[in-house]
């Protein structure tokens, strides 16, 4: 059986300024809008846990729970979580977490965003393969949702909205 890689990285070039991408990542309410988590009134503060109910169809039973690790303005945002922790009958709290990192760089007329997740080697064997597969696939979809959120936000700003 082939071992699961310990990490993966996804990249996307966004047609948005670094400051707008940054805001969509570290403003908890904005993050929740594109990610699919109810985070109204929440904040991301390094060293603190943030929770919210998942609103993504089919996963509404999941409580999203992350430990904010680093918030380095306009450069790096990271958190720890239990990957693909979606079964309400399982207590994931004693399992190791993975580290999700968002890194921003200026790129041509926009922003290059790198998302990486590491630590799968420490996830229990029984969950490791599924967690790796679902998260690596999930981030591709989430980056597409972020891109759409940023485009819609830009249109709203151009038309005099928020």
């Amino acid at each position: 059986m082939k071992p699961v890689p310990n990490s993966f990285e996804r990249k996307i070039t966004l047609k948005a300024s670094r400051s707008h991408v940054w805001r969509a990542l570290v403003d908890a309410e904005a993050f929740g809008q594109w990610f699919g988590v109810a985070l109204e009134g929440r904040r991301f503060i390094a060293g603190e846990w943030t929770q919210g109910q998942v609103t993504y169809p089919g996963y509404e039973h999941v409580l999203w729970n992350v430990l904010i690790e680093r918030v380095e303005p306009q450069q790096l945002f990271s958190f720890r979580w239990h990957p693909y922790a979606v079964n309400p009958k399982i207590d994931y709290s004693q399992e190791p977490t993975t580290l999700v990192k968002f890194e921003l760089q200026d790129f041509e007329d926009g922003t290059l965003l790198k998302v990486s997740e590491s630590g799968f080697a420490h996830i229990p064997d029984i969950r490791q393969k599924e967690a790796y597969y679902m998260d690596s696939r999930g981030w591709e979809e989430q980056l597409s949702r972020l891109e759409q959120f940023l485009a819609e936000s830009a249109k709203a700003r151009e038309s005099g909205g928020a």
Side-chain angles (χ1 to χ4, degrees):
M1 186 167 124
K2 186 178 176 185
V4 171
N6 187 50
S7 63
F8 62 82
E9 179 178 273
R10 300 286 177 263
K11 295 179 184 179
I12 188 170
T13 304
L14 299 163
K15 294 178 182 169
S17 70
R18 195 169 178 163
S19 63
H20 288 129
V21 175
W22 180 251
R23 193 172 315 122
L25 293 174
V26 300
D27 177 291
E29 291 186 24
F31 184 98
Q33 287 174 21
W34 64 266
F35 193 85
V37 180
L39 294 172
E40 292 78 15
R42 306 289 199 313
R43 295 180 57 209
F44 292 150
I45 300 170
E48 293 187 11
W49 288 91
T50 302
Q51 293 182 334
Q53 202 62 43
V54 172
T55 60
Y56 191 85
Y59 294 91
E60 296 93 339
H61 64 283
V62 175
L63 179 66
W64 189 77
N65 190 27
V66 299
L67 174 62
I68 305 304
E69 189 161 279
R70 293 169 60 188
V71 181
E72 297 176 13
Q74 307 279 330
Q75 293 183 38
L76 175 76
F77 172 57
S78 64
F79 59 76
R80 292 192 163 279
W81 68 354
H82 296 284
Y84 199 61
V86 299
N87 186 337
K89 296 176 183 172
I90 297 176
D91 176 9
Y92 299 97
S93 65
Q94 299 306 307
E95 287 186 7
T97 56
T98 55
L99 176 65
V100 175
K101 289 194 322 189
F102 299 87
E103 298 175 85
L104 287 76
Q105 291 179 297
D106 292 328
F107 188 80
E108 294 176 8
D109 291 332
T111 304
L112 174 64
L113 174 63
K114 289 192 264 185
V115 178
S116 61
E117 187 168 353
S118 60
F120 289 95
H122 304 292
I123 301 304
D125 291 347
I126 196 164
R127 287 193 352 91
Q128 192 179 69
K129 186 176 182 180
E130 182 180 40
Y132 179 87
Y133 174 75
M134 294 303 287
D135 277 21
S136 65
R137 203 177 101 225
W139 279 114
E140 291 173 17
E141 182 176 342
Q142 291 294 21
L143 290 178
S144 182
R145 289 168 55 103
L146 171 60
E147 185 174 39
Q148 181 179 351
F149 174 83
L150 290 166
E152 290 169 3
S153 297
K155 285 181 188 172
R157 277 192 309 276
E158 289 170 9
S159 66

